[in-house]
């Protein structure tokens, strides 16, 4: 099992990653964040992204879907991808990982795969 800091270091080590954070969407608390000057303010993004996660989970509930069906939420900007992966594992419910990826230099599929692994390996 990996800790938050180790997990974030691994994520920002991926090609094209501008920043990553792990957030508790119940409390809006950022549990950890690592970003560079080229990326967005991860604290501000975490607070806003909690609303995105809550809204999507609420919508899925209205549709009769189980929350475990979400793999990730992708927001595509002109020069970046913003990825949000809510955790569904019982010990990590209420947590999501947020990653900002440069579109020109990043590998979207590799980033998504790394985020999948985070959920199974993270010890919160």
């Amino acid at each position: 099992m990996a800790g938050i800091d180790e997990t974030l270091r691994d994520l920002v080590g991926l090609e094209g990653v501008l920043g990553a954070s792990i957030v508790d969407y119940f409390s809006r608390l950022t549990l950890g964040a690592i970003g560079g000057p080229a990326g967005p303010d991860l604290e501000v993004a975490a607070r806003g992204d909690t609303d995105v996660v809550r809204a999507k989970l609420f919508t899925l509930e209205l549709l009769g879907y189980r929350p475990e069906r979400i793999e990730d939420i992708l927001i595509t900007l002109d020069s970046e991808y913003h990825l949000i992966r809510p955790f569904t594992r019982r010990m990590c419910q209420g947590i999501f990982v947020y990653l900002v990826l440069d579109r020109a230099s990043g590998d979207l599929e590799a980033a998504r795969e790394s985020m999948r692994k985070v959920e199974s390996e993270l010890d919160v």
Side-chain angles (χ1 to χ4, degrees):
M1 297 304 252
I4 290 173
D5 291 338
E6 179 185 352
T7 297
L8 290 170
R9 280 191 301 274
D10 289 347
L11 285 173
V12 297
L14 296 171
E15 183 73 28
V17 172
L18 302 174
S21 61
I22 296 174
V23 181
D24 179 330
Y25 65 81
F26 292 134
S27 68
R28 296 180 185 262
L29 180 68
T30 300
L31 304 176
I34 298 178
D41 182 328
L42 295 172
E43 294 286 331
V44 171
R47 285 192 302 276
D49 286 337
T50 59
D51 292 332
V52 172
V53 172
R54 289 175 180 183
K56 191 65 213 172
L57 290 171
F58 177 74
T59 302
L60 289 175
E61 184 179 327
L62 290 175
L63 294 171
Y65 293 133
R66 294 183 336 273
E68 304 85 49
R69 293 191 60 192
I70 292 181
E71 287 188 35
D72 54 49
I73 300 166
L74 172 63
I75 300 164
T76 305
L77 303 179
D78 58 348
S79 62
E80 300 170 345
Y81 293 116
H82 291 227
L83 288 147
I84 302 168
R85 184 174 178 88
F87 292 169
T88 57
R89 195 179 61 168
R90 168 166 255 126
M91 297 300 290
C92 292
Q93 286 180 342
I95 305 293
F96 68 87
V97 63
Y98 170 68
L99 185 132
V100 180
L101 184 67
D102 180 82
R103 284 182 69 171
S105 62
D107 180 341
L108 180 59
E109 197 51 44
R112 292 180 77 211
E113 180 60 31
S114 292
M115 291 174 74
R116 280 184 208 102
K117 289 179 184 176
V118 166
E119 183 175 5
S120 64
E121 296 172 358
L122 182 65
D123 184 23
V124 180

